[in-house]
Amino acid sequence: MTWPEEAASPHWATPSRSGPEATATLNVVPSPAADSARARRVSLVTLGCARNEVDSEELAGRLAAGGWELAAEPEDSDVVVVNTCGFVESAKKDSVDTLLAAADTGRKVVAVGCMAERYGNELADSLPEADAVLGFDHYADLSARLDDVVAGRAIAAHTPSDRRKLLPISPVQRPAASAEVEVPGHAQHGWGPRVLRTRLDDSPVAALKIASGCDRRCSFCAIPSFRGSFVSRQPDEIVAEAAWLAENGAKELFLVSENSTSYGKDFGRDGTRALELLLPRLAEIDGIERVRVSYLQPAETRPQLVRAIATTPGVADYFDLSFQHSSEQVLRRMRRFGSTDSFLALTEQIREYSPEAGIRTNVIVGFPGETEDDLAELERFLTGARLDAVGVFGYSDEDGTEAETFDGKLDPAEVAERVARISALVEELTAQRAEDRIGTFVDVLVEHDGADGDDAVGRAAHQAPEVDGECVILEDEDTKPFAVGDLVRCEVVDSAGVDLVVRPAPDAGR
């Protein structure tokens, strides 16, 4: 209920590439187990969030090292690997539907990812169409496990456990211990200077994982139980992967984690400013035009971090803040901190540094015990905060969470009515915010060049991929042609909802 990007449509990996980015293709290593006519072939389909996309690219890198070739279509593969999402009911349904569709191709089907990790043998028992259900601990040997699947050898389904128990309670003791625990997105241990990752698309935007897991105990969220405790990646490792991404076509780095404001807390005292120090290093990498940070916890967002994001050259003045609600009573039941006034103060602090900064959030309405006064308090916050994008989600129980046991549950029809009420307010407020940008100038990263006759499309600094709207670029005979990956200075001339209509500045070019 808190992740608008989690239930995204399946993304099939496409291996075909050309031009200067061709180095990102899979390097197929001949394998003794390969068919004499062709190498073993695998299709990857990814559901869910940007973190899952990073995990899929890591899996592609592992499979390349194990002699597997990536196939664009499942019909051309020996195995279809579905990287599932399991955060909310709609995402779980999408994952099951995608697994069934993969099975309909007649190919072997393997489930990995969050739903597989969270439900394991329960999923395997209820979905015999899947030839294997593998957890995170299978990732290191995924190539061999796929060999078993193709050969018809049975693999015991993953047995779920609370992954928070795999690492020490104290964050500063985790860096050493994490080398012995499989943490998706942290696969560089033992690979030396090589980046264990293969890009699966030609997008100028690349997600870059800076940490995994979460130490917070939000009463509505099951993520820590199957993603584990919070673990930061080392800065040098992140910078090395960022440079590799730049060499392979990335223009914007999208920093992802379950909680980016905790980055570096497991480094000890030296980690208190780790993210602030990392950002300029990433922004200085040749070829990188913009660095974007996602998923900030308001209660952990320090003034120094606000300043770093708002003022560091090359870093998008963009704040993805997980407010979730603004009523103190509801926030306490969520096991979170804050209030309408403290959140409004944070948004004002951001705009003191950067008046045009983008701020987005998600909110949950209909939480157990939420009153009309609580909802009015949320409306007061949304009206005063002038946010650029807001995801509105109705509460529903999640397996194994504390909130599942709470009293004061609202009738689903009442939850739906509140979702509609807040969504209508959000639609009006965010459209007003977009309209306020008319007459200002924005730097647009071109993601679709319009070569097919449609308008060129891109995103400004306040717009993250897929969730925050886009910029439609008006072109005429005097406009220089733009290519995907160009960063173009534009004037905002109109708006449509959260989308902007922009015109290249007179001196704009490649």
Side-chain angles (χ1 to χ4, degrees), residues 90-104:
S90 60
K92 297 171 193 174
K93 182 180 183 303
D94 287 344
S95 293
V96 171
D97 289 347
T98 303
L99 287 164
L100 291 173
D104 286 343

Side-chain angles (χ1 to χ4, degrees), residues 104-116:
D104 286 343
T105 67
R107 300 304 187 253
K108 301 287 188 178
V109 177
V110 174
V112 299
C114 291
M115 190 176 183

Side-chain angles (χ1 to χ4, degrees), residues 50-52 54-55 174 183-186 208-215 227-235 237-238 241 254-267 275 278 294-295:
R51 297 181 298 280
N52 248 21
V54 176
D55 294 349
R174 292 176 193 159
V183 182
H186 294 238
L208 176 58
K209 189 175 287 190
I210 63 172
S212 288
C214 185
D215 287 342
R227 275 288 181 178
S229 298
F230 185 87
V231 182
S232 302
R233 294 181 66 192
Q234 290 296 321
E237 182 180 299
I238 295 171
E241 184 169 336
F254 187 34
L255 308 189
V256 299
S257 71
E258 276 75 26
N259 178 8
S260 296
T261 38
S262 283
Y263 178 73
K265 76 173 189 177
D266 41 348
F267 296 161
L275 185 54
L278 176 64
S294 70
Y295 210 71

Side-chain angles (χ1 to χ4, degrees), residues 295-298 320-324 336 343 360-362:
Y295 210 71
L296 306 171
Q297 288 286 349
D320 174 16
L321 290 158
S322 174
F323 290 118
Q324 305 296 1
R336 297 174 70 86
F343 290 167
R360 72 110 51 222
T361 196
N362 302 317

Side-chain angles (χ1 to χ4, degrees), residues 389-418:
V390 182
V392 182
F393 300 88
Y395 173 81
S396 61
D397 287 336
E398 273 295 301
D399 298 340
T401 62
E402 183 185 6
E404 188 181 24
T405 69
F406 285 175
D407 57 11
K409 301 281 179 64
L410 278 66
D411 184 90
E414 175 64 19
V415 174
E417 190 279 328
R418 294 187 181 192

